[in-house]
Amino acid sequence: MNAWMILAAEAVQEAEGGLFDLDATLPLMAVQILVLVFLLNAVFYKPFGKVLDDRDQFVRGGRQDAKARLAEVKALTAQYEQELAATRKQSQALIAEAQAEASRIAAQQLAEAQREAQAQREQAQQEIDQQKAVALQALDQQVDALSHQILDKLLARA
């Protein structure tokens, strides 16, 4: 009889505490899980998702802004490089023009200096020729005077 009681008690326990009891606990647990999901969604997931979306939007906006600024910088760089190239060409043209002008002025001054040197040389040659003529004339006079003296002495002896 004891064995039958133990088996009956075990059968009652199996009937009451089984793995899947279909009493009010299962729907209550399902309602609790759904309430917890809605609360977590409202309190945690939606604000967290909003923060992530805001951050993503901020990053995208920053990237777009950076791309726009980079394009602007590239355009300005290209413009400045073109202006710099044009300025370099202008400065090289001015330098070449200044060098040509300096060469022309130097050539004019050299030609003028050569003309002045030639004129001074000619004037000096004329002065030398005049002095030579004067010296020759004086020498001719002295030769004539000496010749007359020699003739007078020779004639006086003879």
Side-chain angles (χ1 to χ4, degrees), residues 23-56:
D23 54 2
T25 307
L26 183 63
L28 183 63
M29 292 301 278
V31 168
Q32 285 179 349
I33 288 175
L34 289 176
V35 169
L36 182 63
V37 166
F38 286 122
L39 283 176
L40 283 176
N41 190 27
V43 173
F44 183 68
Y45 293 125
K46 281 187 182 179
F48 186 69
K50 185 178 183 312
V51 167
L52 288 178
D53 289 342
D54 291 345
R55 183 173 181 266
D56 185 48

Side-chain angles (χ1 to χ4, degrees), residues 128-142:
I128 289 171
D129 288 343
Q130 286 175 354
Q131 289 175 358
K132 182 179 174 184
V134 169
L136 284 176
Q137 190 177 16
L139 189 60
D140 278 343
Q141 288 174 1
Q142 287 178 357

Side-chain angles (χ1 to χ4, degrees), residues 142-158:
Q142 287 178 357
V143 167
D144 284 341
L146 283 176
S147 299
H148 286 292
Q149 285 178 358
I150 292 175
L151 276 175
D152 286 339
K153 285 185 181 183
L154 285 176
L155 289 176
R157 284 188 195 169

Side-chain angles (χ1 to χ4, degrees), residues 59-129:
V59 168
R60 284 185 187 169
R63 277 187 172 175
Q64 290 174 353
D65 188 39
K67 284 180 183 178
R69 287 184 183 181
L70 182 62
E72 183 180 344
V73 165
K74 285 182 180 179
L76 286 174
T77 301
Q79 178 185 353
Y80 290 147
E81 286 176 356
Q82 289 174 351
E83 289 176 5
L84 181 63
T87 304
R88 281 184 181 162
K89 286 180 183 178
Q90 288 175 352
S91 64
Q92 288 174 352
L94 286 174
I95 289 170
E97 184 179 327
Q99 286 175 342
E101 182 70 19
S103 297
R104 187 182 60 78
I105 290 172
Q108 285 177 347
Q109 289 177 348
L110 180 63
E112 186 178 331
Q114 286 176 344
R115 281 193 301 269
E116 287 178 11
Q118 183 67 26
Q120 287 177 353
R121 197 176 322 134
E122 288 174 1
Q123 184 180 2
Q125 186 65 38
Q126 287 175 356
E127 288 177 7
I128 289 171
D129 288 343

